[in-house]
Amino acid sequence: MKRSYYILSIVFIGIAFGLLFLPQYKAKQGVNPEILLQQLNDPTRIIGIDEVAERMITKDPSFILVDVRLSWDFEDFALPGAIHIPLAEIAIAAENGTLTHPHKDIVFYSNSDVTSNQARAIALQHSVKNTYVLEGGLNNWFTSIIMATPPAETATQVEHELYLFRKSVAVYFGMPLPNQTQGDIKAKAELIPLVKANDNKESIEAEGC
Amino acid sequence: MLAALKKHKAMKELMKTTRISVSVIGYLAILLIGFLSIQKPDNNLKLDTTQMIELLEALEYEVYPEDVDAFIYSEDQKYAFVDVRNKYEFEVDHIENAINIPSIEIFAKENISMFEQMQNDSIIVVFYGNDQVEANGPWMVMTQMGFTNTKVLLGGFYAYFKLVYDYEEVNYFVEEPVMEFATVIENSASEDFYNEIAAPETIVPVERVKNDIEEGGC
């Protein structure tokens, strides 16, 4: 009788140790590729340039910009406040906790959106949360915001407002105001004598019938 | 009487032990079922991120749009083009002999076995979407699952379409900067910045010539 109790207790202790190692085994299984692909194709991963610009200007503390380009690209130009983690070091950074910010959005960007998507794919596999990709990358940032071109006169009001917003963002990031330099242009234009047709009215009235 | 009591005691004892052993066996059976029913995912990532980064940096996965036609008809190395766009986009137009596997259907059993077959036949699989990013996800996941015969079409179907139908080369190296960012920001401080960009149109009104002599009517 006593012996069977001993055996029972040994069995249960054995099982308890087995359970102890179960979660670790599960974690080693790693990422499910199907879920990973879903996350990679998730359309909400894309964050628009205007939203990023607004959050940069309002000094939103809840997001981090991660530049995944090579070091000379980063030294040449980077978005203000961005941290530099090249694609090759994403895995290391995710492991040592540089990318672990539970309440922050992590926005990856590169010159376009290929490298940033690849970096995000690597980060996702190290269970980095709240990852985003800057829409179109720096190329889009410069062509659409910094060098924003005015919309056609027939464009909708929304487009005009977007242009004004982007122009003001460009000014915030160091571009001159359009009015600042256009003063010279106006001065040059005024040198050309303007003769208005109405000014030459003759004193004597032309007679009619 | 005594014998009967003894027998009864022995029976009780026996009942006890059988009850215990039955419960133990039942418990172990439940555990066994539990362990057996742990679901191992059908598909696993075989390559870890370090190996994947090495592949990304090697840039051997790139296929250029101008090489596509040569690859379709190549004799010595077989290529299979996999269109990851949806069925409608595929129906509109696609690369010749391409297989349509929308990226949500890529893990279907028959597709996985087809990829395995192509791996064994050493056929190179080229993923493409509308742009490179669309095919990037499926390509990365399949590569990490151990299919090393995979590549991605740069510029996607758009670049290929433009090249074949419009004879127009699209810049498919999208990661190249479109302008020198630092220079743009530096030059913005100079006064000529807007003058260089948009010279204003000056409209000079034409002077109307008026006769000195008064004009009569009729």
Side-chain angles (χ1 to χ4, degrees), chain B residues 5 14 19 36 44 46-47 52 57 78 86 88 101 121 125 134 157 161 170 175-176 178 186 190 193 212 218:
Chain B
L5 199 79
L14 200 74
R19 216 184 284 154
L36 285 179
N44 274 318
K46 294 194 178 70
L47 269 62
M52 192 63 220
E57 304 240 293
K78 287 265 181 281
N86 61 41
Y88 308 105
I101 305 177
D121 298 348
V125 179
E134 195 175 339
F157 185 66
F161 180 88
V170 179
E175 283 296 333
E176 298 283 314
V178 288
E186 272 169 32
S190 73
F193 183 72
D212 285 345
C218 299

Side-chain angles (χ1 to χ4, degrees), chain A residues 15 111 125-126 139 185 204 209, chain B residues 49 144 175 178 200 214 218:
Chain A
I15 290 166
N111 280 337
Q125 292 177 45
H126 291 275
N139 284 344
I185 298 164
I204 309 155
C209 288
Chain B
T49 46
Q144 282 197 262
E175 283 296 333
V178 288
E214 289 152 27
C218 299

Side-chain angles (χ1 to χ4, degrees), chain B residues 7 194 215:
Chain B
K7 206 181 171 187
Y194 277 98
E215 286 168 25

Side-chain angles (χ1 to χ4, degrees), chain A residues 14-208:
Chain A
I15 290 166
F17 272 103
L19 287 174
L20 192 70
F21 289 111
L22 202 60
Q24 225 173 13
Y25 167 75
K26 236 182 180 176
K28 269 187 185 168
Q29 281 290 314
V31 193
N32 184 343
E34 292 177 39
I35 294 171
L36 179 66
L37 186 57
Q38 271 176 24
Q39 287 174 324
L40 289 183
N41 286 336
D42 185 3
T44 57
R45 74 182 190 276
I46 299 165
I47 187 165
I49 43 173
D50 302 307
E51 191 187 337
V52 168
E54 198 174 335
R55 289 172 82 168
M56 278 164 87
I57 290 167
T58 52
K59 300 212 162 34
D60 187 344
S62 70
F63 91 119
I64 297 176
L65 279 166
V66 181
D67 193 320
V68 299
R69 298 172 304 156
L70 297 169
S71 52
W72 51 80
D73 285 331
F74 179 77
E75 280 154 22
D76 189 45
F77 175 81
L79 291 179
I83 58 170
H84 181 224
I85 304 173
L87 179 65
E89 290 162 26
I90 289 283
I92 304 161
E95 282 302 309
N96 69 19
T98 318
L99 288 175
T100 319
H101 297 278
H103 305 296
K104 288 190 179 185
D105 294 339
I106 300 190
V107 180
F108 294 101
Y109 78 86
S110 57
N111 280 337
S112 179
D113 44 11
V114 174
T115 314
S116 50
N117 269 297
Q118 290 168 346
R120 179 174 172 270
I122 301 292
L124 279 175
Q125 292 177 45
H126 291 275
S127 53
V128 175
K129 298 275 185 310
N130 304 332
T131 49
Y132 296 89
V133 170
L134 181 64
E135 181 187 15
L138 279 185
N139 284 344
N140 189 19
W141 179 269
F142 267 81
T143 47
S144 300
I145 288 188
I146 304 295
M147 308 287 266
T149 43
E153 279 179 28
T154 48
T156 58
Q157 196 186 355
V158 179
E159 284 174 60
H160 281 285
E161 278 168 5
L162 183 66
Y163 169 70
L164 281 179
F165 170 75
R166 286 181 168 173
K167 210 71 214 169
S168 57
V169 170
V171 171
Y172 180 85
F173 288 112
M175 305 300 282
L177 268 169
N179 306 342
Q180 280 176 353
T181 43
Q182 273 177 1
D184 301 339
I185 298 164
K186 269 182 190 162
K188 276 175 204 163
E190 273 162 11
L191 291 178
I192 303 161
L194 291 173
V195 186
K196 284 184 190 165
N198 285 350
D199 287 352
N200 292 17
K201 266 201 178 165
E202 286 175 25
S203 52
I204 309 155
E205 285 155 28
E207 275 172 32

